[in-house]
Amino acid sequence: MPDRPLSAHDRLMCVVAHTTGAGPKPDAPGWAAMRSVSLAEPAAIHSALSAVVGKQRRVVVTGTLDRRLVLIEDRAGSWMVADLSGRPHRSRAWPPWTSGHLNVTEPGRWLSPGSITPEGLLRLLRPRLLLASLYHPEHFPLPRFPLAISDLARAARATLLGQVELMDMQMGVSLDDIVDRVRCGGVDVLGVSVTFGQHDLATRLLDEATCLDEPPVVVAGGSLTARNERILLERYPRLLVGRGAGEPTIQDVLAHWHSDLPIEQIRGLGYRGATRGTGAATIGRARRTGTVANRLQTDIWPELDLLDATFRHRGVAQLEASRGCTNFCSFCPRGHKGQWAGAAPDALRWLLREIGAILDRHPRLSRTVYLVDEEFIGRGDDAVPRALAVADTLDQAGFAWETSCRVDQIARLDRDRDWHLERGHLWRRLVERRLRRCLFGVESGVTSILQRFNKETTAEQNALAIRTLTALGVPPRFTYITFDQLMTESELRETYVFQGRTDLLLRHLPEMSVEQIVDGVRDDGFVAEHSSGRPFFTAISYMLVGMECLIGAAYTRKAEAAGLTGQPDPSMGRVDTRYADWRIGVLARWSQLWIDRNFALDYTLKSLEKIIDGQPHQLVRGARGILKHTAYRLLGAMIEALDHTDTLVADRTELHAGCAAIAENLIDEIRVELSPVLVAVEAQLAPAQRDLLHREHQRWAATTTWTLINAADTCGT
Ligand code: B12
Ligand code: SF4
């Protein structure tokens, strides 16, 4: 063995050498494969080991990436037990079930002989859990590391119960592949992760899985199932539905499979209780168990089995450094994601090292992590030092990063100058630590609308925050809900004015101190002097979007109370709604048609913007700018048409026709304006990117109809 400290791969060789009695043979074929096997992929470790130790010895690979546990049966029917982290076995938090079933003889060492009872071996090997993630490639061409199932895999492996396999449709797996995998047996528990727009895929899979002769235990979770719990339980009475963070749920489902836990003790579950009586009563009542608060769920890290595949498919790395939010906006149901809690950044260090090692195999990919936190900074006395510690950790690991945050982390009307100075310094430091972009959900610039949204912010506060951020050089993106069902005509007009304001986006002022900026943004003269001249809407990520009334949101209840709601739409977890002022509804509809007509082209430009530099980058920005300006003109022209329409008018088609004419004229105009810009961009791109843009450009230019699609991307990540 080498003089240097042992690596995890060295330890793999050690355990094999100990079990087989042969010295390590680093250059023999099977051994060479073992030396390069990805430790992030337990199935690959298992095959590499089995190839070397031979079929007569059983091999078990379990535990999480940071504490991978390898067990190899030796000739005498006893086992060698190795902790690939190199830490002694006694330092592991052994799950209670192992007591009496799995015994290591030398707990002070990482490598020890051990014994396993037949029951213990069964528990190490079963249940076979398949975690599947769904995906509509036609909606979101850019894959993302599948955090949800990867987090669940870590939680499951931490129990040392069973074996976990992951399948993600983003990585070239089809729905039929998942169905076939379930049909051909060998799956005891199927966990399906379902997010917005995937109801069709989920029901196809669940239809197949639940009608098998010997169906696996099926548990579904994710953002969409949290909205559609009731609908799903009606259709699949035996389904288990995860209602919140799924880590405790999946752990409990594994224990339940072994009859360690009754169903009513599985945390965070929606299910149908035992049946009673006959007839209609034979279907049990829908029941729920309590979810676990985010602050108690401290391990929110993923396994990385699918990270290499994500990069091979040109996808991006995602992580969460915190969970939940500090607020309860009325349109954002909180039951599922919960209250804010930040993870301590310590564990990030090893995780980023592992991510970095996998990224090293893809030298052409950007070293960027998307922190998909709902609210990056959070609250509490240590919020600022914690945020800085997370940023330091990312920076030291060599990663640029992007995230999301609330506006009240920059400007608060109830806080003094010192607070704002501290925050100003914080944001500058975050940028120095390679914060590449941050998304802020402004959502409105009209205080009465913000109150309805329960944003706990005001128009004035938003203005101060936008000025401060831009002057400090934070690269922001803003989301804005232009239309909402309860909006009045005057609110719509104020919205239009706010979006057009040129006193919000200031120039980056690196030469100025934080003190000068914090004082300056409150001074009209300073603002006029340092304005970038750009209207605010140029920084809004997606112009003209309307409120989505999600099932279970407080806003949806308000809309319902106003008699504006219709049928639920399970595909998007929302409820169909109409607008209190029908004229605004017409404008919102034409806005959505406008968004959808331009969505694929804008999405392509946005994706290109992320990966190209120099003049082509400027050209792409210019093209996106044209799209935004035209969207703003559309809004202005439609508001004018609304001005000329009385709410009581009998013929509502006239406003529709007016908006249609406006939209047609504008689309003709931007076709002429954008085409030469897009041709110029195409000329400067690499062949693959050029083909992609050319295809989308042609498709966009050839489209002559207005149709609604079901894809929006206002999460902004
Ligand atoms: C990435 C993302 C997107 C991407 C999705 C890309 C893709 N390929 O699917 C994009 C940008 C397209 C997107 C769009 C939308 N999104 Co989005 N999105 C996110 C974001 C930022 C990260 C998702 C993520 O990876 N989370 C991390 C994982 C670990 O969390 P999770 O998926 O919830 O998984 C946990 C649990 O749900 C559960 N779980 C998940 N699967 C399973 C499976 C089983 C078996 C079990 C037991 C448990 C379980 O356990 C997991 C671990 O704890 C979240 C914010 C967030 N932090 O979650 C918003 C979020 C999910 N999005 C949200 C919304 C509203 C939308 C939109 C509807 C917005 C809109 N109005 O248009 C659209 C939908 C558009 C569409 N057509 O689909 C909301 C949902 C609101 C809510 N409270 O439910 C969130 C929470 C953001 C927010 N606060 O507003 N989004
Ligand atoms: S919309 Fe954003 S700020 Fe509001 S509760 Fe949801 S995550 Fe928090």
Side-chain angles (χ1 to χ4, degrees), residues 485-486 549 554-565 577-578:
Q485 288 73 6
L486 296 162
C549 285
Y555 186 96
T556 310
R557 285 195 294 277
K558 274 190 214 172
E560 193 176 4
L564 300 174
T565 51
T577 40
R578 49 188 189 79

Side-chain angles (χ1 to χ4, degrees), residues 131 135 139-140 142 144-145 147-149 151-152 170 190-198 219-223 227 242 244-247 249-250 318 320 323 332-334 336-337 372-374 546 548 550 572 710-717:
L131 291 170
Y135 178 55
H139 291 175
F140 301 111
L142 182 75
R144 297 157 178 270
F145 175 61
L147 252 189
I149 56 169
D151 286 356
L152 298 188
Q170 296 179 107
L190 170 65
V192 192
S193 185
V194 194
T195 188
F196 292 97
Q198 298 172 347
V219 47
S223 295
R227 310 272 68 79
E247 288 86 348
T249 310
I250 203 74
Q318 318 192 103
E320 283 176 307
R323 285 231 171 118
C332 181
R334 298 306 318 152
H336 164 237
K337 301 299 298 183
V372 294
D373 303 32
E374 289 185 283
E548 303 251 2
L550 295 184
M572 299 302 292
N710 236 352
D713 175 18
T714 52
C715 286
T717 42

Side-chain angles (χ1 to χ4, degrees), residues 366-441:
S366 155
R367 224 177 153 85
T368 303
V369 170
Y370 293 79
L371 289 187
V372 294
D373 303 32
E374 289 185 283
E375 156 53 60
F376 171 70
I377 294 178
R379 62 172 152 230
D381 293 342
D382 69 339
V384 168
R386 184 193 156 276
L388 278 172
V390 172
D392 274 335
T393 312
L394 286 156
D395 184 32
Q396 284 158 13
F399 284 93
W401 51 290
E402 301 194 0
T403 195
S404 312
C405 196
R406 272 176 59 77
V407 153
D408 63 7
Q409 301 287 5
I410 304 104
R412 280 183 64 162
L413 302 182
D414 59 345
R415 295 296 170 111
D416 60 11
R417 183 171 181 270
D418 285 348
W419 186 90
H420 287 92
L421 293 180
E422 187 196 34
R423 291 301 162 121
H425 286 291
L426 168 67
W427 283 100
R428 255 209 180 146
R429 288 191 190 126
L430 295 181
V431 175
E432 285 161 12
R433 284 154 183 75
R434 287 196 258 187
L435 168 60
R436 210 175 64 169
R437 201 172 56 159
C438 191
L439 178 97
F440 298 89

Side-chain angles (χ1 to χ4, degrees), residues 550-608:
L550 295 184
I551 296 172
Y555 186 96
T556 310
R557 285 195 294 277
K558 274 190 214 172
E560 193 176 4
L564 300 174
T565 51
Q567 289 303 309
D569 165 9
S571 166
M572 299 302 292
R574 68 187 170 203
V575 178
D576 290 340
T577 40
R578 49 188 189 79
Y579 279 72
D581 181 333
W582 67 269
R583 299 167 308 164
I584 299 178
V586 173
L587 269 57
R589 182 176 170 79
W590 273 97
S591 295
Q592 194 56 49
L593 288 166
W594 177 270
I595 294 169
D596 290 352
R597 175 109 173 229
N598 297 306
F599 180 81
L601 178 66
D602 196 22
Y603 194 89
T604 308
L605 290 170
K606 183 182 128 190
S607 307
L608 288 174

Side-chain angles (χ1 to χ4, degrees), residues 68-81:
R68 209 60 100 208
L69 192 67
V70 165
L71 303 99
I72 305 180
E73 194 175 27
D74 74 20
R75 278 202 183 82
S78 62
W79 296 72
M80 281 308 292
V81 187

Side-chain angles (χ1 to χ4, degrees), residues 177-323:
D177 294 334
I178 302 176
V179 170
D180 287 347
R181 180 71 194 80
V182 178
R183 263 210 211 117
C184 76
V187 175
D188 302 312
V189 179
L190 170 65
V192 192
S193 185
V194 194
T195 188
F196 292 97
Q198 298 172 347
H199 187 70
D200 56 338
L201 299 173
T203 48
R204 271 174 59 202
L205 177 57
L206 297 178
D207 284 349
E208 295 280 355
T210 51
C211 75
L212 291 174
D213 287 343
E214 286 182 40
V217 172
V218 185
V219 47
S223 295
L224 192 66
T225 59
R227 310 272 68 79
N228 289 349
E229 182 184 334
R230 204 176 46 79
I231 297 171
L232 287 169
L233 287 178
E234 263 162 32
R235 183 162 171 164
Y236 308 104
R238 296 171 67 92
L239 182 69
L240 308 181
V241 181
R243 300 178 43 234
E247 288 86 348
T249 310
I250 203 74
Q251 292 187 330
D252 292 351
V253 168
L254 300 184
H256 175 66
W257 193 87
H258 282 286
S259 307
D260 293 346
L261 213 59
I263 194 168
E264 57 274 16
Q265 283 181 26
I266 298 177
R267 290 164 291 177
L269 199 68
Y271 67 104
R272 282 202 170 273
T275 55
R276 280 187 205 160
T278 51
T282 49
I283 296 182
R285 269 195 17 234
R287 290 175 190 276
R288 288 176 152 191
T289 63
T291 52
V292 176
N294 287 333
R295 73 192 147 73
L296 301 174
Q297 175 65 43
T298 50
D299 191 332
I300 59 171
W301 313 114
E303 287 283 279
L304 301 180
D305 307 37
L306 293 179
L307 188 60
D308 190 63
T310 306
F311 292 145
R312 273 190 272 118
H313 287 84
R314 308 226 140 260
V316 296
Q318 318 192 103
L319 278 182
E320 283 176 307
S322 67
R323 285 231 171 118

